[in-house]
Short mmCIF file of all heavy atoms in Angstrom, two decimals:
data_model
loop_
_atom_site.label_atom_id
_atom_site.label_comp_id
_atom_site.label_asym_id
_atom_site.label_seq_id
_atom_site.Cartn_x
_atom_site.Cartn_y
_atom_site.Cartn_z
N ASP I 195 -59.98 33.12 -44.79
CA ASP I 195 -60.20 32.87 -46.21
C ASP I 195 -61.51 32.12 -46.46
O ASP I 195 -62.18 32.35 -47.48
CB ASP I 195 -59.03 32.07 -46.79
CG ASP I 195 -57.79 32.93 -46.96
OD1 ASP I 195 -57.93 34.17 -46.99
OD2 ASP I 195 -56.67 32.37 -47.06
N ARG I 196 -61.89 31.26 -45.54
CA ARG I 196 -63.19 30.60 -45.69
C ARG I 196 -64.33 31.59 -45.53
O ARG I 196 -65.36 31.50 -46.21
CB ARG I 196 -63.31 29.45 -44.68
CG ARG I 196 -62.56 28.19 -45.10
CD ARG I 196 -62.84 27.02 -44.21
NE ARG I 196 -62.47 25.76 -44.85
CZ ARG I 196 -62.58 24.57 -44.28
NH1 ARG I 196 -63.06 24.47 -43.04
NH2 ARG I 196 -62.23 23.47 -44.93
N GLU I 197 -64.15 32.55 -44.64
CA GLU I 197 -65.19 33.57 -44.49
C GLU I 197 -65.21 34.49 -45.71
O GLU I 197 -66.29 34.90 -46.17
CB GLU I 197 -64.94 34.39 -43.22
CG GLU I 197 -66.08 35.32 -42.88
CD GLU I 197 -66.04 35.82 -41.44
OE1 GLU I 197 -65.37 35.17 -40.62
OE2 GLU I 197 -66.67 36.84 -41.16
N GLN I 198 -64.04 34.79 -46.26
CA GLN I 198 -64.00 35.58 -47.49
C GLN I 198 -64.68 34.85 -48.64
O GLN I 198 -65.37 35.46 -49.47
CB GLN I 198 -62.54 35.88 -47.87
CG GLN I 198 -61.80 36.79 -46.90
CD GLN I 198 -62.12 38.26 -47.10
OE1 GLN I 198 -63.12 38.61 -47.71
NE2 GLN I 198 -61.27 39.13 -46.56
N LEU I 199 -64.51 33.52 -48.68
CA LEU I 199 -65.18 32.73 -49.72
C LEU I 199 -66.69 32.82 -49.58
O LEU I 199 -67.41 32.98 -50.58
CB LEU I 199 -64.72 31.28 -49.64
CG LEU I 199 -65.45 30.29 -50.58
CD1 LEU I 199 -65.26 30.69 -52.04
CD2 LEU I 199 -64.97 28.86 -50.33
N ALA I 200 -67.18 32.72 -48.34
CA ALA I 200 -68.63 32.82 -48.12
C ALA I 200 -69.16 34.18 -48.56
O ALA I 200 -70.23 34.27 -49.18
CB ALA I 200 -68.94 32.57 -46.64
N ILE I 201 -68.41 35.24 -48.27
CA ILE I 201 -68.83 36.58 -48.70
C ILE I 201 -68.84 36.67 -50.22
O ILE I 201 -69.78 37.21 -50.83
CB ILE I 201 -67.89 37.65 -48.10
CG1 ILE I 201 -68.04 37.70 -46.57
CG2 ILE I 201 -68.17 39.02 -48.70
CD1 ILE I 201 -67.03 38.61 -45.90
N ALA I 202 -67.80 36.13 -50.86
CA ALA I 202 -67.73 36.18 -52.32
C ALA I 202 -68.88 35.39 -52.96
O ALA I 202 -69.46 35.81 -53.97
CB ALA I 202 -66.39 35.64 -52.79
N GLN I 203 -69.20 34.25 -52.36
CA GLN I 203 -70.30 33.44 -52.90
C GLN I 203 -71.64 34.17 -52.76
O GLN I 203 -72.47 34.14 -53.67
CB GLN I 203 -70.33 32.09 -52.20
CG GLN I 203 -69.18 31.17 -52.59
CD GLN I 203 -69.11 29.90 -51.77
OE1 GLN I 203 -69.57 29.87 -50.61
NE2 GLN I 203 -68.55 28.84 -52.33
N ASN I 204 -71.87 34.79 -51.60
CA ASN I 204 -73.12 35.55 -51.41
C ASN I 204 -73.19 36.74 -52.37
O ASN I 204 -74.25 37.04 -52.94
CB ASN I 204 -73.23 36.03 -49.97
CG ASN I 204 -73.43 34.89 -48.99
OD1 ASN I 204 -73.97 33.84 -49.36
ND2 ASN I 204 -73.01 35.09 -47.75
N THR I 205 -72.06 37.41 -52.55
CA THR I 205 -72.03 38.54 -53.48
C THR I 205 -72.25 38.07 -54.91
O THR I 205 -72.93 38.74 -55.70
CB THR I 205 -70.68 39.27 -53.36
OG1 THR I 205 -70.49 39.70 -52.00
CG2 THR I 205 -70.64 40.48 -54.28
N LEU I 206 -71.69 36.91 -55.24
CA LEU I 206 -71.89 36.36 -56.58
C LEU I 206 -73.38 36.11 -56.86
O LEU I 206 -73.87 36.41 -57.96
CB LEU I 206 -71.10 35.06 -56.73
CG LEU I 206 -71.21 34.33 -58.08
CD1 LEU I 206 -70.68 35.21 -59.21
CD2 LEU I 206 -70.47 32.99 -58.02
N LYS I 207 -74.07 35.60 -55.85
CA LYS I 207 -75.52 35.37 -56.03
C LYS I 207 -76.26 36.69 -56.24
O LYS I 207 -77.16 36.79 -57.09
CB LYS I 207 -76.08 34.65 -54.81
CG LYS I 207 -75.59 33.22 -54.66
CD LYS I 207 -76.18 32.58 -53.41
CE LYS I 207 -75.65 31.15 -53.23
NZ LYS I 207 -76.19 30.52 -51.99
N ALA I 208 -75.87 37.71 -55.48
CA ALA I 208 -76.53 39.02 -55.63
C ALA I 208 -76.26 39.61 -57.01
O ALA I 208 -77.17 40.14 -57.67
CB ALA I 208 -76.04 39.97 -54.54
N PHE I 209 -75.02 39.51 -57.46
CA PHE I 209 -74.68 40.02 -58.79
C PHE I 209 -75.36 39.21 -59.89
O PHE I 209 -75.71 39.75 -60.95
CB PHE I 209 -73.16 40.01 -58.98
CG PHE I 209 -72.46 41.12 -58.26
CD1 PHE I 209 -71.11 41.02 -57.94
CD2 PHE I 209 -73.12 42.28 -57.89
CE1 PHE I 209 -70.45 42.05 -57.29
CE2 PHE I 209 -72.47 43.31 -57.23
CZ PHE I 209 -71.13 43.20 -56.92
N GLU I 210 -75.52 37.91 -59.64
CA GLU I 210 -76.21 37.08 -60.62
C GLU I 210 -77.67 37.51 -60.78
O GLU I 210 -78.20 37.57 -61.90
CB GLU I 210 -76.13 35.61 -60.21
CG GLU I 210 -76.73 34.65 -61.22
CD GLU I 210 -76.59 33.20 -60.79
OE1 GLU I 210 -76.32 32.95 -59.59
OE2 GLU I 210 -76.75 32.31 -61.64
#
Side-chain angles (χ1 to χ4, degrees):
D195 286 341
R196 281 188 162 178
E197 189 163 340
Q198 294 280 18
L199 174 60
I201 294 173
Q203 288 173 333
N204 292 333
T205 302
L206 179 62
K207 292 179 182 179
F209 284 158
E210 184 178 17

